[in-house]
Amino acid sequence: QVQLVESGGGSVQAGGSLRLSCAASGITSSSYCLGWFRQAPGKDRETISTSGTYTYYADSVKGRFTISRDNAKNTLYLQMNTLKPEDTGMYYCVAKTYVGGCTIKADFSFKGQGTQVTVSS
């Protein structure tokens, strides 16, 4: 059974930083496309970054967020710097096989429970 467990969310002021982690179990992370998407109140779900053969970022976070993975620990990370109030939302770790590609436009098969990020101005 695939499980993705996020941690590291919290409340910060604009300009601050947070580092999210996602512990994966039930899969060998090196064989999966991993990513992060967020859901803000009243907004569409947005895939913000993916990690596979290449990394991809949504324009909204490019230059501020960095995705990384430690396959030995089956863990995915998202370093978020220069946070803005519009980054507020629930952040989810997602996973899929490489079938069909690994970009921010991919459809992901598995999703964690999410971790809340709140950025105040």
Side-chain angles (χ1 to χ4, degrees):
Q1 183 179 356
V2 178
Q3 279 196 316
L4 303 170
V5 180
E6 304 93 337
S7 60
S11 297
V12 295
Q13 290 194 322
S17 298
L18 283 173
R19 188 192 195 205
L20 306 184
S21 298
C22 169
S25 60
I27 60 171
T28 302
S29 63
S30 59
S31 299
Y32 276 73
C33 168
L34 303 176
W36 294 93
F37 76 68
R38 67 185 178 192
Q39 180 78 60
K43 294 185 179 180
D44 292 336
R45 188 183 74 189
E46 178 185 22
T47 303
I48 56 175
S49 186
T50 59
S51 171
T53 303
Y54 305 100
T55 58
Y56 292 91
Y57 297 94
D59 289 341
S60 58
V61 305
K62 202 173 293 182
R64 299 187 298 121
F65 291 11
T66 303
I67 193 170
S68 61
R69 60 200 293 170
D70 185 336
N71 289 329
K73 296 182 179 179
N74 252 21
T75 301
L76 180 72
Y77 303 99
L78 186 69
Q79 178 66 44
M80 305 186 295
N81 298 329
T82 320
L83 282 161
K84 304 175 180 180
E86 51 263 43
D87 293 319
T88 294
M90 188 70 79
Y91 283 68
Y92 298 91
C93 177
V94 291
K96 65 181 294 291
T97 68
Y98 282 101
V99 175
C102 181
T103 72
I104 59 173
K105 295 185 177 181
D107 290 325
F108 286 84
S109 306
F110 306 103
K111 178 173 70 73
Q113 293 298 307
T115 185
Q116 177 67 38
V117 171
T118 302
V119 185
S120 58
S121 57

